Amino acid sequence: MDITTPKGTYDIIPDEVDPSLMWRQSYLWHYVETIFSKNAKNFGFDEIRTPLFERTELFKRGVGEGSDIVSKEMYTFDDKGGRSMTLRPEMTASVMRAFVEKSLHNISSVHKLFYIGPMFRYDRPQAGRYRQFFQFGVEAIGNACPEQDAEVIDLLFSICKDLGLNNLMLNINSVGDKESRANFSQALKEFLTPKKDKLSLDSQNRLLNNTLRILDSKDPKDHEALIGAPSLNDFLNEESKENFAKVLRLLDSLEIPYHINEKLVRGLDYYNKTVFELTTSSTGSQNAIGGGGRYDGLMKTLGGQDLPSVGFAIGIERILQAMIQQNVDLPAKPSADLYIIALGDLASNFAFKLTHDMRKASKIVEMDFSSKKLKDRLKIADQRRAKKVLIIGDDELKNNKAELKDMLLRTSQEVSLSSIKDSFL
Ligand code: HAM
């Protein structure tokens, strides 16, 4: 077929034969998503779902026009009513929009929300980077204290631990409050402007509107130009410094390992104070499996109350890829507990009802609908990884009997049909 998935997208399917694409199997997605939501619920987070598209203005104001996401990567279109819409590139701005729109602050002063869903960024696809990708994320709204920062980081680690991931490194930094950040950005701009020609092309473009991002550029030209640059740490006010020190002390008390990375500023404009990224040695160049931080001013920017907030999002593709690269124990693909093969019309009618009844006990029961030879039907049962097969013939049915095959042990036994439900379930 000449119509394929759009570039940078992929299908999540039940069976993937290519071992390098195993992470695309839907049962593994269910598994990780269950661990995400179980952990989030244990930490007191409730689920929120918002539309896949929003008014473009939300991301311009929320994520920031200077960010790469807004300036280069948005899927923006005019709807039939001429309104500019954008497929969400992230969900923090959407969560804030929903919070303000629904006046959730009237219900409680603290809200802890989590989400799972697709995001869209028009970026150059490569390993670990897609145009449609999935995030699991949390946003804790209403608490300005360092405990809240440490709690979301604890949740992030708790999830990774439950998934069996190793070699994790939390890079953490404080970008200070809005004023410290703006002052530092101005100082950096003044330092780099005379060296503009020495910067990479990307950084030259960032100099005016997204100066801080030059700090975490991977280009050696930028590293050279940054030698002797002002340090973000020197611009932090006392309150930001104390706040950060407390976050670190709390992480120490939980024995969460971290690395203070003074160059970490994150790519979205809304952050202040604590920012962090979780990396693993196993996901190559796109090695951030998650990132987040505090974004106290965002709600106000979007026209709401001035509630402090902190959160993170992890990329589900990168999580699954890391799990496979690290050879963590993965669950077995669910398969039929019982596969029923009927030989003959009477047996078929009986088996159809039996299949229906057996499913009521939450067992995975399948019936073979093919009219192939028994040998071929057993082959299908094998392909479907059935654990047991019940073969019912018209004659056996008259005698209330059937054959039960154990597909793993390769044994079979005669069973009474009246007791099959009891003996099997
Ligand atoms: P972000 O760092 O842009 O943060 O994205 C979080 C995670 O999403 C990344 O660490 C990565 O795992 C995954 N990700 C991002 N872009 C792609 C892509 N093109 N392909 C595959 N995976 C990708 C945010 O989105 C913030 N909203 C996080 C946050 C929540 N901050 C506070 N609250």
Side-chain angles (χ1 to χ4, degrees), residues 69 89-92 115 121 123 128-131 133-135 137-139 266 268 270-271 277-278 288-295 310-318:
I69 294 178
E90 61 105 53
M91 238 180 97
T92 309
Y115 48 83
R121 294 184 193 175
D123 201 351
R129 196 197 284 160
Y130 305 91
R131 289 185 173 167
F133 60 97
F134 287 74
Q135 281 187 346
V138 303
E139 313 296 350
R266 307 263 306 131
L268 304 94
Y270 47 62
Y271 291 112
E277 257 174 24
L278 188 68
I289 56 177
R294 185 163 274 290
Y295 51 94
V310 57
F312 69 78
I314 45 190
I316 305 186
E317 294 81 1
R318 294 188 194 173

Side-chain angles (χ1 to χ4, degrees), residues 9-14 16 21-26 29 130:
T9 69
Y10 58 87
D11 299 309
I12 300 168
I13 54 176
E16 176 56 69
L21 301 178
M22 257 182 64
W23 59 272
R24 294 184 182 174
Q25 297 179 102
S26 46
W29 283 70
Y130 305 91

